[in-house]
């Protein structure tokens, strides 16, 4: 890898580092290293779940991140079929140092008092956050997108973050997947924020007329962009009609049920015979992956901490979602980026 390619991978460690450290903190708070220390031998997911009182859905995601980073070990029990219970988790020299009688309290103190530390907490996880089940503390999923009314300074920073993300991700899409945009006369970017992504696409592929579709408060702050019409609305109600729909960094914010609702609205917006939905989001590879796998798993932890039921998905989970939403087939193109491109056809 050359220096620039390495930097493109490395930068995610810093960008997502807080969430990553938050997960280590949660692992100690939940008592995962202690539970394993007290157990006689390796533990299955359900044994661990019972020992620390955390639902298996979120525990699986946390353990996927922690084993990828060498904090715990995951071994396959060959005598069992390939499901989540066919794996055993065990300690490493590192996790043994994270028990409450060794360095665990040291790490917790660095995170600060619970009232001041941001990100995931053991309490969140125990109450269902990230587990795919209803979180009793936050039954509604739209909290994230409304919370900025409370903190305008953070909202401004968040807008800058989304603008930089749109530039980075759209550059990858243009470089690695230009064919996806051939023959599209009108493309709607659903949740396109202030239109940076669709603006870049329209410039790179000038035969496209762009629609940037987002919530009314977001569209109200968007500047005019050549070749792009800004349209305000709610993707859970309807999506403007177009030849194709793009969903970039949208579906990972929402539960499976709400993703199916969004995908069905997108399907209604495109022609049944020639239309497609272009999804730009991460695909988690649980069997190894590439140099971006660590960043994708860290992003899953960020999504777990920042949303109510959002998650990064494996290719199987994507296939299931698209199938339930009524798409007949899809293709996947990987890029040298945290995201991949899925093209789904009615
Ligand atoms: C994570 S951002 C992604 C922005 C952009 N696509 C990108 O990749 O940088 C999610 C976007 O979805 C928008 N959004 C949230 N709920 C929405 C809704 N119900 N209808 C339309 N857009 C929505 C948000 O305002 C935000 O701009």
């Amino acid at each position: 890898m050359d220096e620039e390619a390495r930097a493109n991978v490395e930068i995610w460690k810093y960008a997502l580092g807080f969430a990553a450290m938050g997960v280590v903190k949660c692992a100690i708070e939940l008592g995962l290293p202690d539970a394993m220390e007290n157990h006689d031998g390796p533990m299955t997911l359900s044994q661990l779940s019972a020992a620390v009182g955390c639902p298996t859905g979120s525990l699986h995601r946390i353990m996927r991140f922690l084993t990828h980073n060498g904090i715990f070990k995951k071994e396959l029990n060959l005598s069992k079929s390939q499901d989540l219970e066919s794996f055993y988790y065990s300690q490493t020299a590192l996790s043994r140092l994270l028990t409450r009688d060794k360095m665990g309290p040291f790490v917790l103190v660095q995170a600060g008092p619970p009232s001041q530390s941001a990100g995931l907490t053991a309490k969140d996880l125990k109450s269902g956050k990230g587990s795919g089940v209803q979180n009793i503390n936050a039954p509604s999923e739209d909290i994230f997108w409304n919370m900025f009314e409370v903190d305008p300074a953070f909202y401004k920073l968040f807008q800058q973050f989304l603008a930089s993300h749109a530039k980075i991700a759209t550059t990858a899409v243009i470089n690695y997947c230009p064919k996806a945009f051939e023959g599209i006369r009108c493309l709607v970017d659903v949740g396109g924020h202030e239109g940076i992504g669709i603006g870049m696409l329209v410039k790179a592929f000038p035969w496209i007329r762009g629609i940037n579709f987002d919530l009314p408060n977001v569209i109200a702050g968007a500047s005019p962009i050549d070749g792009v019409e800004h349209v305000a609305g709610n993707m859970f109600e309807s999506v403007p009609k177009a030849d194709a729909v793009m969903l970039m960094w949208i579906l990972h914010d929402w539960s499976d049920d709400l993703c199916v609702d969004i995908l069905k609205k997108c399907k209604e917006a495109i022609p049944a015979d020639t239309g497609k939905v272009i999804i730009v989001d991460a695909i988690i590879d649980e069997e190894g992956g590439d140099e971006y796998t660590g960043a994708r798993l860290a992003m899953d932890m960020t999504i777990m901490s920042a949303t109510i039921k959002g998650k990064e998905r494996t290719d199987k989970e994507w296939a299931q979602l698209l199938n339930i939403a009524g798409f007949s087939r899809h293709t996947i193109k990987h890029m040298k980026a945290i995201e991949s491109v899925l093209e789904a056809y009615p």
Side-chain angles (χ1 to χ4, degrees), residues 76-119:
L76 184 61
N77 179 352
L78 291 171
S79 63
K80 291 205 174 183
S81 62
Q82 280 262 16
D83 62 11
L84 290 180
E85 282 301 294
S86 64
F87 291 101
Y88 281 118
Y89 296 101
S90 56
Q91 296 270 63
T92 63
L94 189 52
S95 65
R96 280 193 199 96
L97 292 175
L98 291 174
T99 53
R100 290 275 181 171
D101 61 348
K102 297 201 177 77
M103 293 288 277
F106 194 101
V107 177
L108 294 183
V109 165
Q110 300 311 306
S115 58
Q116 285 171 26
S117 56

mmCIF file of all heavy atoms in Angstrom, residues 76-119:
data_model
loop_
_atom_site.group_PDB
_atom_site.id
_atom_site.type_symbol
_atom_site.label_atom_id
_atom_site.label_comp_id
_atom_site.label_asym_id
_atom_site.label_seq_id
_atom_site.Cartn_x
_atom_site.Cartn_y
_atom_site.Cartn_z
ATOM 1 N N LEU A 76 -14.129 -21.496 16.347
ATOM 2 C CA LEU A 76 -15.272 -22.234 15.826
ATOM 3 C C LEU A 76 -15.309 -23.617 16.473
ATOM 4 O O LEU A 76 -14.295 -24.300 16.564
ATOM 5 C CB LEU A 76 -15.112 -22.363 14.306
ATOM 6 C CG LEU A 76 -16.246 -23.020 13.537
ATOM 7 C CD1 LEU A 76 -17.541 -22.225 13.695
ATOM 8 C CD2 LEU A 76 -15.877 -23.115 12.066
ATOM 9 N N ASN A 77 -16.505 -24.000 16.940
ATOM 10 C CA ASN A 77 -16.688 -25.366 17.422
ATOM 11 C C ASN A 77 -17.139 -26.209 16.227
ATOM 12 O O ASN A 77 -18.278 -26.119 15.786
ATOM 13 C CB ASN A 77 -17.755 -25.380 18.526
ATOM 14 C CG ASN A 77 -18.000 -26.772 19.037
ATOM 15 O OD1 ASN A 77 -17.493 -27.749 18.473
ATOM 16 N ND2 ASN A 77 -18.777 -26.870 20.099
ATOM 17 N N LEU A 78 -16.219 -27.003 15.689
ATOM 18 C CA LEU A 78 -16.472 -27.695 14.418
ATOM 19 C C LEU A 78 -17.594 -28.726 14.511
ATOM 20 O O LEU A 78 -18.185 -29.102 13.507
ATOM 21 C CB LEU A 78 -15.185 -28.358 13.920
ATOM 22 C CG LEU A 78 -14.119 -27.351 13.465
ATOM 23 C CD1 LEU A 78 -12.803 -28.051 13.190
ATOM 24 C CD2 LEU A 78 -14.583 -26.568 12.250
ATOM 25 N N SER A 79 -17.923 -29.140 15.733
ATOM 26 C CA SER A 79 -18.966 -30.157 15.859
ATOM 27 C C SER A 79 -20.365 -29.548 15.719
ATOM 28 O O SER A 79 -21.359 -30.247 15.677
ATOM 29 C CB SER A 79 -18.839 -30.867 17.201
ATOM 30 O OG SER A 79 -19.046 -29.918 18.222
ATOM 31 N N LYS A 80 -20.450 -28.203 15.652
ATOM 32 C CA LYS A 80 -21.779 -27.565 15.576
ATOM 33 C C LYS A 80 -22.020 -26.947 14.205
ATOM 34 O O LYS A 80 -21.081 -26.651 13.482
ATOM 35 C CB LYS A 80 -21.866 -26.449 16.625
ATOM 36 C CG LYS A 80 -21.897 -26.966 18.039
ATOM 37 C CD LYS A 80 -22.574 -25.945 18.903
ATOM 38 C CE LYS A 80 -22.764 -26.470 20.306
ATOM 39 N NZ LYS A 80 -23.466 -25.531 21.149
ATOM 40 N N SER A 81 -23.305 -26.688 13.887
ATOM 41 C CA SER A 81 -23.605 -26.036 12.615
ATOM 42 C C SER A 81 -23.183 -24.565 12.711
ATOM 43 O O SER A 81 -22.996 -24.037 13.795
ATOM 44 C CB SER A 81 -25.093 -26.150 12.311
ATOM 45 O OG SER A 81 -25.791 -25.472 13.322
ATOM 46 N N GLN A 82 -23.098 -23.916 11.514
ATOM 47 C CA GLN A 82 -22.555 -22.557 11.481
ATOM 48 C C GLN A 82 -23.579 -21.497 11.926
ATOM 49 O O GLN A 82 -24.066 -20.738 11.116
ATOM 50 C CB GLN A 82 -22.126 -22.241 10.051
ATOM 51 C CG GLN A 82 -20.807 -22.820 9.676
ATOM 52 C CD GLN A 82 -19.700 -21.754 9.830
ATOM 53 O OE1 GLN A 82 -19.892 -20.743 10.474
ATOM 54 N NE2 GLN A 82 -18.539 -22.003 9.264
ATOM 55 N N ASP A 83 -23.923 -21.439 13.207
ATOM 56 C CA ASP A 83 -24.724 -20.310 13.657
ATOM 57 C C ASP A 83 -23.934 -19.594 14.760
ATOM 58 O O ASP A 83 -22.791 -19.955 15.031
ATOM 59 C CB ASP A 83 -26.110 -20.767 14.139
ATOM 60 C CG ASP A 83 -26.008 -21.705 15.345
ATOM 61 O OD1 ASP A 83 -24.911 -21.826 15.917
ATOM 62 O OD2 ASP A 83 -27.021 -22.318 15.695
ATOM 63 N N LEU A 84 -24.570 -18.582 15.367
ATOM 64 C CA LEU A 84 -23.821 -17.783 16.346
ATOM 65 C C LEU A 84 -23.346 -18.627 17.523
ATOM 66 O O LEU A 84 -22.310 -18.376 18.119
ATOM 67 C CB LEU A 84 -24.695 -16.640 16.862
ATOM 68 C CG LEU A 84 -24.996 -15.526 15.845
ATOM 69 C CD1 LEU A 84 -25.868 -14.457 16.456
ATOM 70 C CD2 LEU A 84 -23.703 -14.927 15.314
ATOM 71 N N GLU A 85 -24.116 -19.682 17.851
ATOM 72 C CA GLU A 85 -23.757 -20.522 19.000
ATOM 73 C C GLU A 85 -22.635 -21.512 18.674
ATOM 74 O O GLU A 85 -22.182 -22.259 19.537
ATOM 75 C CB GLU A 85 -24.994 -21.290 19.482
ATOM 76 C CG GLU A 85 -25.935 -20.432 20.296
ATOM 77 C CD GLU A 85 -25.291 -19.844 21.547
ATOM 78 O OE1 GLU A 85 -24.939 -20.607 22.455
ATOM 79 O OE2 GLU A 85 -25.121 -18.618 21.606
ATOM 80 N N SER A 86 -22.216 -21.543 17.401
ATOM 81 C CA SER A 86 -21.139 -22.475 17.062
ATOM 82 C C SER A 86 -19.769 -21.870 17.365
ATOM 83 O O SER A 86 -18.748 -22.497 17.155
ATOM 84 C CB SER A 86 -21.231 -22.894 15.601
ATOM 85 O OG SER A 86 -21.043 -21.768 14.785
ATOM 86 N N PHE A 87 -19.764 -20.612 17.863
ATOM 87 C CA PHE A 87 -18.489 -19.977 18.204
ATOM 88 C C PHE A 87 -18.293 -19.931 19.715
ATOM 89 O O PHE A 87 -19.255 -19.809 20.470
ATOM 90 C CB PHE A 87 -18.450 -18.545 17.657
ATOM 91 C CG PHE A 87 -18.383 -18.510 16.164
ATOM 92 C CD1 PHE A 87 -19.514 -18.254 15.412
ATOM 93 C CD2 PHE A 87 -17.192 -18.767 15.511
ATOM 94 C CE1 PHE A 87 -19.456 -18.241 14.033
ATOM 95 C CE2 PHE A 87 -17.118 -18.754 14.131
ATOM 96 C CZ PHE A 87 -18.250 -18.495 13.404
ATOM 97 N N TYR A 88 -17.046 -20.052 20.113
ATOM 98 C CA TYR A 88 -16.677 -19.861 21.513
ATOM 99 C C TYR A 88 -15.819 -18.626 21.634
ATOM 100 O O TYR A 88 -14.958 -18.376 20.780
ATOM 101 C CB TYR A 88 -15.842 -21.056 21.998
ATOM 102 C CG TYR A 88 -16.662 -22.271 22.325
ATOM 103 C CD1 TYR A 88 -16.475 -23.452 21.625
ATOM 104 C CD2 TYR A 88 -17.589 -22.232 23.353
ATOM 105 C CE1 TYR A 88 -17.217 -24.581 21.928
ATOM 106 C CE2 TYR A 88 -18.337 -23.352 23.658
ATOM 107 C CZ TYR A 88 -18.149 -24.515 22.948
ATOM 108 O OH TYR A 88 -18.888 -25.621 23.256
ATOM 109 N N TYR A 89 -16.050 -17.865 22.672
ATOM 110 C CA TYR A 89 -15.187 -16.710 22.943
ATOM 111 C C TYR A 89 -14.276 -17.053 24.113
ATOM 112 O O TYR A 89 -14.703 -17.698 25.073
ATOM 113 C CB TYR A 89 -16.023 -15.490 23.303
ATOM 114 C CG TYR A 89 -16.904 -15.043 22.156
ATOM 115 C CD1 TYR A 89 -18.261 -15.366 22.128
ATOM 116 C CD2 TYR A 89 -16.374 -14.319 21.096
ATOM 117 C CE1 TYR A 89 -19.062 -14.974 21.070
ATOM 118 C CE2 TYR A 89 -17.162 -13.922 20.029
ATOM 119 C CZ TYR A 89 -18.508 -14.253 20.030
ATOM 120 O OH TYR A 89 -19.296 -13.868 18.975
ATOM 121 N N SER A 90 -13.024 -16.611 24.010
ATOM 122 C CA SER A 90 -12.126 -16.843 25.146
ATOM 123 C C SER A 90 -11.216 -15.635 25.360
ATOM 124 O O SER A 90 -11.163 -14.713 24.518
ATOM 125 C CB SER A 90 -11.320 -18.120 24.934
ATOM 126 O OG SER A 90 -10.619 -18.044 23.723
ATOM 127 N N GLN A 91 -10.532 -15.661 26.492
ATOM 128 C CA GLN A 91 -9.662 -14.555 26.893
ATOM 129 C C GLN A 91 -8.381 -14.517 26.057
ATOM 130 O O GLN A 91 -7.937 -15.545 25.529
ATOM 131 C CB GLN A 91 -9.231 -14.733 28.355
ATOM 132 C CG GLN A 91 -10.333 -14.685 29.360
ATOM 133 C CD GLN A 91 -10.576 -13.266 29.860
ATOM 134 O OE1 GLN A 91 -10.943 -12.405 29.082
ATOM 135 N NE2 GLN A 91 -10.375 -13.045 31.143
ATOM 136 N N THR A 92 -7.805 -13.323 25.982
ATOM 137 C CA THR A 92 -6.440 -13.176 25.474
ATOM 138 C C THR A 92 -5.630 -12.564 26.627
ATOM 139 O O THR A 92 -6.208 -12.152 27.650
ATOM 140 C CB THR A 92 -6.385 -12.195 24.286
ATOM 141 O OG1 THR A 92 -6.789 -10.913 24.771
ATOM 142 C CG2 THR A 92 -7.270 -12.634 23.138
ATOM 143 N N ALA A 93 -4.316 -12.458 26.422
ATOM 144 C CA ALA A 93 -3.490 -11.823 27.467
ATOM 145 C C ALA A 93 -3.997 -10.401 27.704
ATOM 146 O O ALA A 93 -4.008 -9.908 28.847
ATOM 147 C CB ALA A 93 -2.034 -11.803 27.008
ATOM 148 N N LEU A 94 -4.486 -9.749 26.627
ATOM 149 C CA LEU A 94 -4.963 -8.371 26.748
ATOM 150 C C LEU A 94 -6.256 -8.299 27.573
ATOM 151 O O LEU A 94 -6.382 -7.472 28.485
ATOM 152 C CB LEU A 94 -5.179 -7.825 25.322
ATOM 153 C CG LEU A 94 -5.481 -6.360 25.139
ATOM 154 C CD1 LEU A 94 -4.468 -5.490 25.857
ATOM 155 C CD2 LEU A 94 -5.481 -6.006 23.643
ATOM 156 N N SER A 95 -7.228 -9.177 27.267
ATOM 157 C CA SER A 95 -8.505 -9.089 27.998
ATOM 158 C C SER A 95 -8.315 -9.463 29.473
ATOM 159 O O SER A 95 -9.025 -8.953 30.333
ATOM 160 C CB SER A 95 -9.569 -9.977 27.356
ATOM 161 O OG SER A 95 -9.233 -11.337 27.453
ATOM 162 N N ARG A 96 -7.325 -10.336 29.748
ATOM 163 C CA ARG A 96 -7.062 -10.684 31.166
ATOM 164 C C ARG A 96 -6.615 -9.461 31.955
ATOM 165 O O ARG A 96 -6.813 -9.386 33.160
ATOM 166 C CB ARG A 96 -6.001 -11.783 31.266
ATOM 167 C CG ARG A 96 -6.591 -13.141 31.014
ATOM 168 C CD ARG A 96 -5.664 -14.282 31.404
ATOM 169 N NE ARG A 96 -6.153 -15.446 30.719
ATOM 170 C CZ ARG A 96 -5.693 -15.889 29.556
ATOM 171 N NH1 ARG A 96 -4.643 -15.313 28.990
ATOM 172 N NH2 ARG A 96 -6.228 -16.922 28.972
ATOM 173 N N LEU A 97 -6.018 -8.496 31.252
ATOM 174 C CA LEU A 97 -5.579 -7.267 31.938
ATOM 175 C C LEU A 97 -6.735 -6.286 32.142
ATOM 176 O O LEU A 97 -6.580 -5.271 32.808
ATOM 177 C CB LEU A 97 -4.467 -6.582 31.139
ATOM 178 C CG LEU A 97 -3.141 -7.324 31.088
ATOM 179 C CD1 LEU A 97 -2.159 -6.611 30.153
ATOM 180 C CD2 LEU A 97 -2.537 -7.445 32.487
ATOM 181 N N LEU A 98 -7.904 -6.595 31.523
ATOM 182 C CA LEU A 98 -9.021 -5.651 31.625
ATOM 183 C C LEU A 98 -10.024 -6.040 32.713
ATOM 184 O O LEU A 98 -11.119 -5.474 32.787
ATOM 185 C CB LEU A 98 -9.741 -5.549 30.263
ATOM 186 C CG LEU A 98 -8.932 -4.874 29.151
ATOM 187 C CD1 LEU A 98 -9.665 -4.950 27.816
ATOM 188 C CD2 LEU A 98 -8.637 -3.409 29.496
ATOM 189 N N THR A 99 -9.673 -7.008 33.572
ATOM 190 C CA THR A 99 -10.587 -7.368 34.666
ATOM 191 C C THR A 99 -10.568 -6.259 35.725
ATOM 192 O O THR A 99 -9.681 -5.403 35.748
ATOM 193 C CB THR A 99 -10.166 -8.709 35.315
ATOM 194 O OG1 THR A 99 -8.802 -8.606 35.676
ATOM 195 C CG2 THR A 99 -10.370 -9.880 34.375
ATOM 196 N N ARG A 100 -11.577 -6.319 36.609
ATOM 197 C CA ARG A 100 -11.747 -5.282 37.638
ATOM 198 C C ARG A 100 -10.600 -5.242 38.650
ATOM 199 O O ARG A 100 -10.401 -4.232 39.313
ATOM 200 C CB ARG A 100 -13.056 -5.524 38.402
ATOM 201 C CG ARG A 100 -14.283 -5.245 37.581
ATOM 202 C CD ARG A 100 -14.634 -3.769 37.644
ATOM 203 N NE ARG A 100 -15.847 -3.499 36.872
ATOM 204 C CZ ARG A 100 -16.474 -2.336 36.891
ATOM 205 N NH1 ARG A 100 -16.036 -1.349 37.615
ATOM 206 N NH2 ARG A 100 -17.550 -2.153 36.167
ATOM 207 N N ASP A 101 -9.866 -6.362 38.786
ATOM 208 C CA ASP A 101 -8.764 -6.353 39.753
ATOM 209 C C ASP A 101 -7.420 -6.024 39.095
ATOM 210 O O ASP A 101 -6.386 -6.068 39.734
ATOM 211 C CB ASP A 101 -8.685 -7.690 40.519
ATOM 212 C CG ASP A 101 -8.441 -8.861 39.585
ATOM 213 O OD1 ASP A 101 -8.570 -8.667 38.348
ATOM 214 O OD2 ASP A 101 -8.116 -9.965 40.063
ATOM 215 N N LYS A 102 -7.461 -5.714 37.770
ATOM 216 C CA LYS A 102 -6.196 -5.318 37.118
ATOM 217 C C LYS A 102 -6.370 -3.913 36.517
ATOM 218 O O LYS A 102 -6.598 -2.972 37.256
ATOM 219 C CB LYS A 102 -5.788 -6.378 36.088
ATOM 220 C CG LYS A 102 -5.493 -7.743 36.736
ATOM 221 C CD LYS A 102 -4.637 -8.606 35.855
ATOM 222 C CE LYS A 102 -4.300 -9.923 36.538
ATOM 223 N NZ LYS A 102 -5.452 -10.870 36.510
ATOM 224 N N MET A 103 -6.299 -3.800 35.165
ATOM 225 C CA MET A 103 -6.329 -2.454 34.572
ATOM 226 C C MET A 103 -7.741 -1.944 34.257
ATOM 227 O O MET A 103 -7.900 -0.816 33.794
ATOM 228 C CB MET A 103 -5.503 -2.450 33.278
ATOM 229 C CG MET A 103 -4.022 -2.656 33.488
ATOM 230 S SD MET A 103 -3.254 -1.200 34.230
ATOM 231 C CE MET A 103 -3.006 -0.197 32.769
ATOM 232 N N GLY A 104 -8.781 -2.778 34.481
ATOM 233 C CA GLY A 104 -10.153 -2.357 34.163
ATOM 234 C C GLY A 104 -10.506 -0.999 34.760
ATOM 235 O O GLY A 104 -10.895 -0.075 34.022
ATOM 236 N N PRO A 105 -10.335 -0.833 36.088
ATOM 237 C CA PRO A 105 -10.690 0.463 36.690
ATOM 238 C C PRO A 105 -9.866 1.619 36.135
ATOM 239 O O PRO A 105 -10.360 2.746 35.997
ATOM 240 C CB PRO A 105 -10.362 0.249 38.183
ATOM 241 C CG PRO A 105 -10.437 -1.228 38.376
ATOM 242 C CD PRO A 105 -9.953 -1.842 37.091
ATOM 243 N N PHE A 106 -8.629 1.339 35.761
ATOM 244 C CA PHE A 106 -7.776 2.379 35.180
ATOM 245 C C PHE A 106 -8.412 2.934 33.903
ATOM 246 O O PHE A 106 -8.525 4.145 33.716
ATOM 247 C CB PHE A 106 -6.404 1.740 34.865
ATOM 248 C CG PHE A 106 -5.316 2.733 34.586
ATOM 249 C CD1 PHE A 106 -4.382 3.053 35.578
ATOM 250 C CD2 PHE A 106 -5.201 3.334 33.347
ATOM 251 C CE1 PHE A 106 -3.377 3.965 35.313
ATOM 252 C CE2 PHE A 106 -4.201 4.243 33.078
ATOM 253 C CZ PHE A 106 -3.273 4.570 34.064
ATOM 254 N N VAL A 107 -8.869 2.013 33.043
ATOM 255 C CA VAL A 107 -9.493 2.435 31.777
ATOM 256 C C VAL A 107 -10.789 3.208 32.062
ATOM 257 O O VAL A 107 -11.061 4.245 31.442
ATOM 258 C CB VAL A 107 -9.785 1.213 30.861
ATOM 259 C CG1 VAL A 107 -10.494 1.640 29.581
ATOM 260 C CG2 VAL A 107 -8.495 0.471 30.534
ATOM 261 N N LEU A 108 -11.582 2.717 33.032
ATOM 262 C CA LEU A 108 -12.863 3.382 33.336
ATOM 263 C C LEU A 108 -12.640 4.795 33.849
ATOM 264 O O LEU A 108 -13.383 5.724 33.501
ATOM 265 C CB LEU A 108 -13.661 2.566 34.363
ATOM 266 C CG LEU A 108 -14.154 1.194 33.888
ATOM 267 C CD1 LEU A 108 -14.987 0.522 34.980
ATOM 268 C CD2 LEU A 108 -14.979 1.310 32.602
ATOM 269 N N VAL A 109 -11.585 4.986 34.661
ATOM 270 C CA VAL A 109 -11.310 6.324 35.188
ATOM 271 C C VAL A 109 -10.916 7.266 34.046
ATOM 272 O O VAL A 109 -11.341 8.424 34.004
ATOM 273 C CB VAL A 109 -10.218 6.269 36.284
ATOM 274 C CG1 VAL A 109 -9.669 7.660 36.581
ATOM 275 C CG2 VAL A 109 -10.796 5.656 37.556
ATOM 276 N N GLN A 110 -10.148 6.752 33.079
ATOM 277 C CA GLN A 110 -9.757 7.602 31.951
ATOM 278 C C GLN A 110 -10.989 8.089 31.180
ATOM 279 O O GLN A 110 -10.994 9.181 30.610
ATOM 280 C CB GLN A 110 -8.837 6.849 30.955
ATOM 281 C CG GLN A 110 -7.545 6.333 31.543
ATOM 282 C CD GLN A 110 -6.801 7.380 32.349
ATOM 283 O OE1 GLN A 110 -6.527 8.458 31.847
ATOM 284 N NE2 GLN A 110 -6.516 7.075 33.605
ATOM 285 N N ALA A 111 -12.049 7.253 31.142
ATOM 286 C CA ALA A 111 -13.274 7.627 30.412
ATOM 287 C C ALA A 111 -14.055 8.724 31.144
ATOM 288 O O ALA A 111 -14.961 9.329 30.592
ATOM 289 C CB ALA A 111 -14.151 6.398 30.199
ATOM 290 N N GLY A 112 -13.720 8.978 32.413
ATOM 291 C CA GLY A 112 -14.381 10.039 33.181
ATOM 292 C C GLY A 112 -15.623 9.523 33.879
ATOM 293 O O GLY A 112 -16.060 8.396 33.644
ATOM 294 N N PRO A 113 -16.212 10.383 34.750
ATOM 295 C CA PRO A 113 -17.423 9.968 35.453
ATOM 296 C C PRO A 113 -18.539 9.671 34.448
ATOM 297 O O PRO A 113 -18.602 10.355 33.411
ATOM 298 C CB PRO A 113 -17.797 11.186 36.301
ATOM 299 C CG PRO A 113 -16.688 12.151 36.166
ATOM 300 C CD PRO A 113 -15.809 11.758 35.030
ATOM 301 N N PRO A 114 -19.412 8.700 34.737
ATOM 302 C CA PRO A 114 -20.473 8.331 33.789
ATOM 303 C C PRO A 114 -21.275 9.534 33.313
ATOM 304 O O PRO A 114 -21.666 9.610 32.146
ATOM 305 C CB PRO A 114 -21.347 7.360 34.588
ATOM 306 C CG PRO A 114 -20.435 6.803 35.630
ATOM 307 C CD PRO A 114 -19.415 7.864 35.935
ATOM 308 N N SER A 115 -21.494 10.534 34.201
ATOM 309 C CA SER A 115 -22.308 11.690 33.802
ATOM 310 C C SER A 115 -21.617 12.508 32.708
ATOM 311 O O SER A 115 -22.251 13.261 31.985
ATOM 312 C CB SER A 115 -22.561 12.584 35.010
ATOM 313 O OG SER A 115 -21.320 12.990 35.543
ATOM 314 N N GLN A 116 -20.299 12.372 32.581
ATOM 315 C CA GLN A 116 -19.576 13.199 31.594
ATOM 316 C C GLN A 116 -19.117 12.423 30.367
ATOM 317 O O GLN A 116 -18.687 13.007 29.387
ATOM 318 C CB GLN A 116 -18.332 13.804 32.244
ATOM 319 C CG GLN A 116 -18.663 14.951 33.173
ATOM 320 C CD GLN A 116 -17.452 15.390 33.962
ATOM 321 O OE1 GLN A 116 -16.321 15.223 33.542
ATOM 322 N NE2 GLN A 116 -17.713 15.931 35.138
ATOM 323 N N SER A 117 -19.128 11.078 30.446
ATOM 324 C CA SER A 117 -18.562 10.346 29.305
ATOM 325 C C SER A 117 -19.642 10.082 28.250
ATOM 326 O O SER A 117 -20.752 9.649 28.578
ATOM 327 C CB SER A 117 -17.878 9.050 29.752
ATOM 328 O OG SER A 117 -18.767 8.260 30.464
ATOM 329 N N ALA A 118 -19.293 10.389 26.987
ATOM 330 C CA ALA A 118 -20.241 10.232 25.882
ATOM 331 C C ALA A 118 -20.188 8.802 25.372
ATOM 332 O O ALA A 118 -19.345 8.016 25.771
ATOM 333 C CB ALA A 118 -19.868 11.198 24.770
ATOM 334 N N GLY A 119 -21.100 8.472 24.472
ATOM 335 C CA GLY A 119 -21.032 7.173 23.786
ATOM 336 C C GLY A 119 -21.793 6.083 24.495
ATOM 337 O O GLY A 119 -22.628 6.322 25.369
#
